[in-house]
Amino acid sequence: MGIWRSALLTSVTFGLWAGMCAFHQLPGEKQLEPTRDPIHHVFRTDGKFVHNVGRLQLQITNFGETGNQDNPRLTTVPSAEWPQGSGDDYLFAAGLWVGALDASGIPHVTTATYDREFSPDIAPVNVCVPLPIDQVADVRESYEGIPGGNRIISSSVNPDDDGDGRVDEDFLNGIDDDGDGLCDEDYSSIGQQMFASEYNDYQPTTRQLYPEHVPLGIKVQQTSYAWATPGQNDFVGMDYKIINVSGRALRNVYVAIFADMDVGNRAACLNCYYRDDEAGLIDTTVQYVGPTGDFVKRRIQMGYMWDNPDDPGRLQEAKGGDVPGYFGCMFLNHTTDPSGASAPRHVGITAYKFFSGATSFPAGGDPQNDAQRYLLMSDPQLNPDVVGQIVSGRPLDYRFIMATGPFRSIPPDSSLIISVAWVIGLGRGPSQSGGTMIDNAINAQQVFDGLYTDLDGNALTGTCGKETCLLGGGVGSPRFTYVIPESSLCRLRFHADVNTVFADVPPWDNLTPCNLQQDGKYVCQEALGGTLVHCASADTLPKAITAQTCTPDTYVDFDCDVNTGQGGREHLVNWVAAAPLPAPYYAGQDGRGEVSDFQHLYSSRDDSTRISAWFFPGDHKVTLKWNNFAEQVRDAQRGNLKEFLGYRIFRASGWNRPLGTNAPARNLWSLIGEWRADPKGTPAHPLSELIDTSMPIINISPVLVRWDPARRRVVNDSTFTPVTEIDTLFAVGRYSFVDTHVLNGFPYFYSIVPLSTVPGDSAGADVVLQGNPSANNAQVVYPRGDSRNDQSEVFVVPNPYKGGAEWDLVPREEDPSGTKVTFMNLPRTKGTIHVYTVAGDLVKDIPFDGRPSGDLQYGKDSVTGGKGSVPWNLISRNGQKIVSGIYLYSVDTDLGKQVGRFIIIR
């Protein structure tokens, strides 16, 4: 947590103290108690948005911070928990930094952490979502295949969702960006779970909080992606699109990630788990299968931390809370320039440094102002080429910065995209068995690298290495000539002595036909059928570029890599992974609160592809209702093939709300059952058992499918006739399951996990995909008794209460006792339970409403009765824990009054 105790204060302490009366801690202290937070309430700091489909649970905000500085006082919300439910956290907070020079050469840096100088838009314009203005600039969740989120991935799907001739012009932000009167109707949705947010550095409230802040005039569109697939579930990818809206060019731009990775288990030692971390820099070359299917070599650079194992013999190293993972951040992609003139020469880190303690910047500590921040980001002596791989010398509370740049200029209304990955693994690695941080970093790079696809459906584009379409200007614009330099690999690879300059490139033999050299990759087709061809060696002459639309003649081998642009695949798609279908979603309430009985939140009007499931508590039962939206998600890479198989239902029980996590651990989940549309040959039940045919249809959509099941591949030519299939979306309640193996008053979680199949070359090679069961404490369900027609049988459980109960939970801020007694058999009406001492002193008034909800009729039967039980946490109306003794209660309703008693033994 480090210099947050110092840097956050140094730059803005006086301004906040005088203007906002906020209180901060001194260096070396931790902030554990709630404080008055001066930031605007539109900042998402409650932990509602956590990537939870994979093993890495990473918290996302709407102002550029990853993790959450508020977590010491929100101990149930993970910043970067791994794995889910373990309480092992690897991050305090990290944030985006962007620095540039102004016209006078003065540096300015905007930071997301510790100073929160980025902000969501407080008063956005062109709002298109039905929300209060101060709730618009929030994080938004989606998934690959969601309506309106078609991405550029193959010719089988049209990425122009709204048919206006533009692609992905309406970012997922609740604003009508393209002014067409529609809302978030054409954006790119990636991964099994995607979070999107938009923020900037020029909000007036930012200047009020940080008077010394000088805005760069930038807007950032941030997206993050997660998957559940093994091998892809130990990292979260992120894209930062930095848009210059200042009206002037930004010069000498640097982009950095500042990370305070407090590594350990908070429950073990909340005040000290972070004090024995180690930090380091990885700079190594790895080899893996690239987007063309061939092996590529890649330089991997990563800032990372890990928890130093406790040594009981050395008190300074026995901090408690040991955790096994190694956690790091890496740049996956950004603009490059081989000459280094306009951008870094290669993707990666150009400056790295770690810090500890509260030393001044000149003495090697954290930067305190923009000049020092920019100096740190741009220091050539911190380049990995200079410092090499480094590690810390002793366990301390560390944080680090990793920067890349300079990007010489970002013109007005232009953008720069920086792609990063947060990666975790068991050990540093690499390892032959996989699973280490470096192994998972390679997996992250592979997913980002993606694959080449036939986007235009033309087999003549993407041949003999030609992957880039070059176009001339508009009407009347001068043409230009594409010239390949003499020293370029594009020319030298056709020379017999090429390996004297490029050692890994095989020599060319001018006496051997082109089709017999290097697997015939340099043979260029000029017409379908393969009769008209030429060798790519003839394409090294200067080429006049005048065309305004892409045709086979306009493609060139721009990257000098014959493996990119083969087999008609001319377009590189990033972020490609096998994603299980998205699970039906029960919203719960928020990231922190437990919903003891959510029925006051429920309305069938809220049902959508977002709210696609409801879990209703009943008397010794929980009723699960969901719709079939997951079945509408098709595989665009496979010609819109429908890959849905069925559902598995999981239940988690035995959860006691441990500190440091807000989700049940993996060992608490158990499989209730599996249902498939075609259960033949499997132990699954028929899906028809769950279907309620009375549910209404919400939407019907025709889908053109280009998957040939006989050849088991996508076909875009005249040899195959596409098939039109119909997708029918039903309302929530299309599927229903009742779990009767539950106890009233105990917490349960449910996860409905779709099953899908990825076809292989044969039926035996098909792969079944399944997401991980997951939930958080906002989605907990407590079964409870139904209300009764009278109030003659009200009783208390347990009675007597002897120091605790089986359903007790770990106390926390919203529930300081963690225990409860429950009043059962309440009447089907509104009323109040009055609790008294035997001396007649009022201890607590507990209101209740046992009337059934009027909006819970699904199909034939109501899913639940009225709420017939109410818990009490044994906290008096004065906020104190009650003492041992005999207590009386009176149930007062329009039906009359019933009295009783119960005993508390502490």
Side-chain angles (χ1 to χ4, degrees):
M1 229 169 272
I3 204 68
W4 183 57
R5 304 178 290 272
S6 174
L8 187 147
L9 314 181
T10 304
S11 62
V12 300
T13 298
F14 180 77
L16 291 178
W17 182 274
M20 306 296 295
C21 297
F23 293 90
H24 297 277
Q25 69 278 20
L26 296 173
E29 296 178 348
K30 292 288 180 182
Q31 181 177 348
L32 300 177
E33 299 300 325
T35 65
R36 180 184 301 174
D37 197 340
I39 65 172
H40 194 279
H41 64 267
V42 73
F43 281 63
R44 175 60 74 178
T45 60
D46 63 0
K48 179 176 182 179
F49 294 95
V50 176
H51 279 293
N52 61 1
V53 298
R55 284 158 45 89
L56 175 58
Q57 313 284 290
L58 189 67
Q59 185 178 158
I60 301 297
T61 69
N62 60 347
F63 52 92
E65 185 170 277
T66 304
N68 193 340
Q69 293 181 49
D70 294 324
N71 269 354
R73 65 180 191 264
L74 301 179
T75 55
T76 62
V77 183
S79 269
E81 185 183 31
W82 184 80
Q84 183 186 55
S86 65
D88 295 346
D89 214 328
Y90 291 79
L91 180 64
F92 171 49
L96 177 69
W97 287 16
V98 182
L101 300 179
D102 66 15
S104 302
I106 299 175
H108 304 289
V109 180
T110 297
T111 67
T113 305
Y114 295 114
D115 293 349
R116 289 169 168 172
E117 296 174 330
F118 283 112
S119 170
D121 204 336
I122 305 301
V125 296
N126 298 324
V127 172
C128 59
V129 290
L131 292 172
I133 194 70
D134 59 356
Q135 297 179 23
V136 173
D138 203 353
V139 179
R140 283 178 165 73
E141 184 174 355
S142 66
Y143 53 87
E144 194 160 328
I146 192 172
N150 286 347
R151 62 182 298 203
I152 301 174
I153 195 166
S154 78
S155 59
S156 298
V157 63
N158 183 7
D160 180 11
D161 298 84
D162 56 358
D164 64 355
R166 293 179 292 174
V167 173
D168 299 338
E169 76 282 357
D170 200 9
F171 186 71
L172 183 59
N173 56 8
I175 295 173
D176 184 8
D177 297 284
D178 56 357
D180 61 359
L182 303 176
C183 194
D184 295 344
E185 81 289 348
D186 192 356
Y187 61 95
S188 179
S189 191
I190 295 172
Q192 183 181 350
Q193 183 182 51
M194 182 180 96
F195 291 147
S197 62
E198 184 174 88
Y199 45 88
N200 60 67
D201 74 340
Y202 46 81
Q203 291 295 303
T205 50
T206 302
R207 293 297 299 271
Q208 294 172 9
L209 286 173
Y210 307 103
E212 296 181 358
H213 169 63
V214 178
L216 297 174
I218 56 176
K219 178 174 66 175
V220 180
Q221 293 178 340
Q222 173 188 302
T223 46
S224 54
Y225 325 109
W227 295 264
T229 314
Q232 299 161 355
N233 56 2
D234 290 320
F235 63 84
V236 171
M238 299 183 73
D239 282 331
Y240 298 100
K241 185 177 182 180
I242 303 166
I243 306 170
N244 179 9
V245 296
S246 68
R248 61 187 183 278
L250 298 176
R251 299 189 300 115
N252 281 29
V253 177
Y254 286 85
V255 180
I257 300 295
F258 178 86
D260 187 346
M261 293 182 175
D262 289 349
V263 181
N265 190 294
R266 281 187 246 156
C269 182
L270 185 60
N271 294 313
C272 63
Y273 74 93
Y274 49 83
R275 295 179 180 173
D276 62 345
D277 297 342
E278 300 276 12
L281 167 68
I282 288 174
D283 187 1
T284 187
T285 300
V286 299
Q287 181 173 279
Y288 60 91
V289 177
T292 65
D294 296 278
F295 280 100
V296 297
K297 289 184 178 179
R298 177 69 181 255
R299 186 179 182 182
I300 294 282
Q301 296 175 316
M302 179 184 303
Y304 70 107
M305 290 192 192
W306 72 98
D307 191 18
N308 183 66
D310 288 350
D311 183 351
R314 304 184 65 187
L315 293 180
Q316 68 271 27
E317 294 187 15
K319 305 301 183 183
D322 280 352
V323 297
Y326 280 57
F327 185 49
C329 186
M330 61 187 292
F331 291 116
L332 296 170
N333 194 51
H334 53 67
T335 301
T336 60
D337 180 356
S339 70
S342 62
R345 286 183 170 85
H346 61 83
V347 174
I349 299 171
T350 57
Y352 173 86
K353 187 176 182 178
F354 55 75
F355 319 87
S356 64
T359 308
S360 67
F361 182 72
D366 298 68
Q368 304 293 307
N369 54 52
D370 279 2
Q372 293 176 351
R373 294 182 185 108
Y374 190 84
L375 179 62
L376 181 65
M377 297 164 72
S378 61
D379 190 347
Q381 296 305 309
L382 299 179
N383 193 303
D385 292 339
V386 177
V387 301
Q389 298 195 86
I390 55 175
V391 295
S392 52
R394 62 193 180 108
L396 291 168
D397 177 13
Y398 288 102
R399 54 258 173 216
F400 69 72
I401 185 171
M402 46 177 273
T404 188
F407 302 92
R408 294 302 177 193
S409 177
I410 303 180
D413 300 319
S414 297
S415 62
L416 169 68
I417 298 178
I418 305 291
S419 301
V420 305
W422 295 95
V423 185
I424 199 163
L426 193 60
R428 178 186 181 276
S431 167
Q432 291 292 330
S433 58
T436 68
M437 182 180 65
I438 290 182
D439 294 319
N440 291 329
I442 296 172
N443 293 339
Q445 189 68 61
Q446 284 181 301
V447 169
F448 173 81
D449 288 351
L451 53 81
Y452 276 87
T453 185
D454 182 8
L455 183 63
D456 60 6
N458 190 339
L460 297 180
T461 59
T463 180
C464 64
K466 298 179 181 181
E467 82 297 328
T468 301
C469 173
L470 295 182
L471 299 178
V475 177
S477 300
R479 72 179 191 177
F480 71 95
T481 301
Y482 172 63
V483 179
I484 301 175
E486 290 290 342
S487 60
S488 169
L489 174 61
C490 284
R491 278 185 177 272
L492 294 181
R493 62 187 174 181
F494 298 112
H495 293 186
D497 57 352
V498 60
N499 54 354
T500 62
V501 180
F502 299 98
D504 296 333
V505 179
W508 188 260
D509 184 358
N510 289 319
L511 299 179
T512 301
C514 187
N515 64 319
L516 298 180
Q517 295 197 64
Q518 300 182 36
D519 299 323
K521 292 181 179 179
Y522 288 101
V523 176
C524 303
Q525 281 193 317
E526 298 177 10
L528 292 176
T531 57
L532 295 176
V533 298
H534 68 272
C535 190
S537 58
D539 294 331
T540 57
L541 299 177
K543 183 181 182 69
I545 304 299
T546 60
Q548 297 178 36
T549 58
C550 291
T551 67
D553 292 334
T554 63
Y555 278 82
V556 299
D557 186 359
F558 195 76
D559 62 0
C560 301
D561 183 353
V562 71
N563 294 310
T564 60
Q566 290 286 341
R569 298 180 294 274
E570 80 294 336
H571 185 82
L572 178 61
V573 179
N574 297 122
W575 298 116
V576 177
L581 297 176
Y585 183 76
Y586 163 48
Q589 184 165 298
D590 57 47
R592 297 176 61 193
E594 295 173 40
V595 187
S596 58
D597 199 316
F598 69 90
Q599 292 183 62
H600 66 284
L601 302 172
Y602 170 75
S603 170
S604 60
R605 295 188 300 274
D606 295 330
D607 295 346
S608 66
T609 54
R610 166 72 176 160
I611 308 299
S612 50
W614 289 97
F615 304 158
F616 297 100
D619 190 1
H620 288 92
K621 69 176 182 178
V622 175
T623 301
L624 314 182
K625 296 280 186 177
W626 69 100
N627 71 6
N628 64 328
F629 91 99
E631 301 164 40
Q632 318 294 303
V633 179
R634 292 175 174 267
D635 190 343
Q637 298 178 52
R638 293 173 177 82
N640 288 331
L641 177 66
K642 185 174 184 176
E643 297 174 339
F644 171 79
L645 292 177
Y647 295 100
R648 285 178 178 162
I649 300 177
F650 293 85
R651 177 186 60 224
S653 58
W655 179 72
N656 68 345
R657 197 173 60 197
L659 286 174
T661 181
N662 70 340
R666 184 65 185 91
N667 65 313
L668 299 182
W669 289 100
S670 60
L671 178 64
I672 295 178
E674 177 180 331
W675 290 261
R676 293 198 183 200
D678 181 9
K680 184 178 180 180
T682 74
H685 303 279
L687 188 58
S688 57
E689 290 182 359
L690 305 178
I691 293 178
D692 182 346
T693 57
S694 68
M695 297 312 298
I697 294 174
I698 302 300
N699 186 56
I700 297 177
S701 301
V703 179
L704 194 65
V705 180
R706 296 181 178 274
W707 176 262
D708 185 344
R711 288 180 279 184
R712 301 182 73 82
R713 65 180 179 87
V714 177
V715 180
N716 288 312
D717 56 38
S718 59
T719 64
F720 178 74
T721 301
V723 177
T724 299
E725 297 180 354
I726 301 298
D727 280 344
T728 303
L729 178 64
F730 292 89
V732 173
R734 170 66 172 179
Y735 298 114
S736 178
F737 174 79
V738 180
D739 181 17
T740 57
H741 299 283
V742 294
L743 299 175
N744 286 349
F746 286 81
Y748 295 93
F749 297 86
Y750 292 88
S751 186
I752 302 168
V753 179
L755 297 174
S756 59
T757 181
V758 177
D761 294 333
S762 63
D766 290 351
V767 176
V768 175
L769 294 182
Q770 172 195 303
N772 297 316
S774 63
N776 62 47
N777 65 311
Q779 299 164 315
V780 66
V781 180
Y782 291 89
R784 79 292 186 281
D786 289 341
S787 55
R788 305 300 178 94
N789 291 326
D790 58 59
Q791 59 188 44
S792 61
E793 301 295 333
V794 177
F795 63 96
V796 176
V797 175
N799 187 12
Y801 173 92
K802 298 181 179 180
E806 290 185 34
W807 53 35
D808 284 358
L809 305 176
V810 174
R812 68 173 190 183
E813 180 184 343
E814 298 95 297
D815 180 17
S817 74
T819 191
K820 65 184 178 183
V821 296
T822 299
F823 295 87
M824 308 290 289
N825 282 357
L826 294 172
R828 194 171 293 122
T829 186
K830 294 181 68 175
T832 301
I833 303 169
H834 306 287
V835 180
Y836 302 93
T837 66
V838 290
D841 296 322
L842 179 64
V843 177
K844 185 75 173 180
D845 286 334
I846 307 170
F848 68 89
D849 187 349
R851 298 174 300 175
S853 172
D855 193 22
L856 293 175
Q857 188 71 30
Y858 275 104
K860 307 168 188 174
D861 303 307
S862 179
V863 295
T864 185
K867 184 177 181 181
S869 59
V870 172
W872 178 39
N873 63 2
L874 305 184
I875 302 295
S876 73
R877 60 179 178 147
N878 297 321
Q880 299 174 323
K881 293 182 179 180
I882 65 171
V883 299
S884 298
I886 299 174
Y887 291 85
L888 309 177
Y889 66 86
S890 172
V891 181
D892 293 357
T893 72
D894 54 6
L895 299 177
K897 178 183 296 187
Q898 184 202 348
V899 297
R901 69 177 184 174
F902 59 96
I903 300 172
I904 301 296
I905 304 173
R906 287 294 189 181

